Amino acid sequence: MQERTGLITMKGNPLTLVGPEITTGSPAPDFRTVDTDLNPLTLQDLEHKVLIISSVPSLDTDVCDMETRRFNTEAANLSQDIKIVTVSMDLPFAQKRWCGAAGVDQVLTVSDHREASFGQNYGVLIKELRLLARAVFVLDQSRTVRYVQLVSEVTEEPDYGPILDAAKSLV
């Protein structure tokens, strides 16, 4: 599996990403994750809507918490043709508990803990930590990647404006 360096840091310390670089215009790779009820979920299982897929290290950290809550709030202002998915290595039980406690009900949370399939296929698996890098992918209805944002410092939030604009432009 390909390893890439020099792209992200955590608190200034460089980290290694495992997997290919996903670029705008490329077909979105499939993945195998599980939802909060332990049901398998792949890209093909998701409705053919515009997807905002946000990968985060752990919902139990401040920045991931803020990011996922922000996407949950933003979902209310988006077309019904846009779906937001958050992927992390958190166990499905922890994701379900966190969503309930945080009132997150507009974002689908899925766990990559079993196979790291999303992390490896989208090039956001952090080798040193076996966590996912902070990144956002916008896919159109035909599953083509239309926007990618890899956050270079894992402890910082993404720039929401261009993500939301990219998704809105596709409906």
Side-chain angles (χ1 to χ4, degrees), residues 63-160:
V63 179
C64 300
D65 178 289
M66 287 187 296
E67 178 179 338
T68 307
R69 285 177 192 255
R70 170 77 182 266
F71 277 127
N72 192 67
T73 301
E74 294 290 348
N77 303 317
L78 296 174
S79 162
Q80 294 298 314
D81 295 323
I82 300 173
K83 179 78 176 162
I84 303 174
V85 180
T86 294
V87 186
S88 73
M89 286 292 202
D90 295 309
L91 293 175
F93 311 108
Q95 289 179 334
K96 192 172 198 172
R97 175 198 47 76
W98 181 88
C99 286
V104 170
D105 56 3
Q106 299 299 307
V107 172
L108 173 66
T109 55
V110 296
S111 175
D112 201 25
H113 85 280
R114 283 188 181 163
E115 300 178 41
S117 166
F118 181 87
Q120 290 178 31
N121 294 353
Y122 281 72
V124 294
L125 180 63
I126 300 172
K127 179 181 178 179
E128 295 85 352
L129 304 172
R130 200 176 187 278
L131 294 174
L132 301 180
R134 188 172 316 284
V136 182
F137 302 88
V138 177
L139 314 182
D140 67 17
Q141 296 92 332
S142 65
R143 299 303 182 244
T144 299
V145 178
R146 295 296 175 197
Y147 181 82
V148 176
Q149 187 179 130
L150 177 65
V151 181
S152 60
E153 172 53 53
V154 175
T155 61
E156 295 177 2
E157 288 181 87
D159 185 358
Y160 299 100

